[in-house]
Amino acid sequence: MKQLKTGLCIAVLGLALSACEPIKMDQGYHLDPEQLALIETGVTNKDAVQQLMGSPSSIATFQTEGDAWYYISSKTEHYAFFEKEVKSRNIVIVLFNIDDVVAEVADLSLEDGREIEVVQRETPTGGRELGLLEQLFGNLGRFNTAGEGQ
């Protein structure tokens, strides 16, 4: 009987420890350094970049001198319901000039990122704030009777 309890405790402990395995996620474009090396500044055009690297993860919305294509990937992991932790992030930015030829290629990692402080204040709105009684009884007497306003 004692061996059965010991075996059961070991099985439960093993099951509990196996549940502590982190959940890993690998998302986005996976950079191949050989493909990136084939992109030459001033020579390679948009079509060649798309053939080498595929469609970008994102394209710049505001274009001043030419397009900017972003190839983004990240690796995260988390335990059960805890917050995700970013283990690595890679962003390849391909900037094109007006003639759709590569002007610059930048390869950024997680270390190149910056933390942005979110502002918690609220934007004030016009009008006045109503008290509890004004909210509850504010519409009394404002209803149309039959025949009015038709």
Side-chain angles (χ1 to χ4, degrees):
M1 186 69 166
K2 192 172 187 176
Q3 289 177 340
L4 180 63
K5 286 182 181 179
T6 304
L8 187 60
C9 285
I10 290 173
V12 169
L13 182 63
L15 185 63
L17 288 176
S18 69
C20 293
E21 182 69 23
I23 300 168
K24 298 178 181 181
M25 295 184 73
D26 197 2
Q27 298 175 317
Y29 177 81
H30 298 289
L31 174 69
D32 184 3
E34 294 174 4
Q35 288 176 330
L36 193 58
L38 294 174
I39 298 174
E40 297 179 44
T41 303
V43 176
T44 311
N45 63 15
K46 269 187 185 179
D47 294 333
V49 171
Q50 189 163 13
Q51 286 177 350
L52 284 170
M53 300 178 68
S55 297
S57 304
S58 182
I59 297 175
T61 305
F62 302 106
Q63 301 162 356
T64 54
E65 296 178 10
D67 285 343
W69 287 5
Y70 299 90
Y71 294 88
I72 305 167
S73 67
S74 66
K75 292 182 182 182
T76 59
E77 76 177 38
H78 69 281
Y79 293 92
F81 52 84
F82 294 108
E83 188 174 340
K84 287 183 182 178
E85 180 183 350
V86 178
K87 292 296 185 180
S88 69
R89 180 175 297 132
N90 192 6
I91 301 172
V92 175
I93 305 170
V94 182
L95 299 172
F96 297 96
N97 61 19
I98 293 178
D99 300 323
D100 290 340
V101 176
V102 175
E104 183 181 347
V105 177
D107 187 9
L108 306 174
S109 66
L110 184 61
E111 290 78 29
D112 296 318
R114 292 180 286 174
E115 288 290 324
I116 298 174
E117 187 175 327
V118 179
V119 177
Q120 297 295 329
R121 64 179 182 251
E122 294 180 13
T123 304
T125 59
R128 61 186 188 99
E129 290 191 25
L130 300 176
L132 178 63
L133 293 177
E134 289 177 304
Q135 290 178 19
L136 291 174
F137 301 112
N139 283 329
L140 290 178
R142 293 188 185 185
F143 302 107
N144 291 338
T145 58
E148 274 187 34
Q150 291 183 1

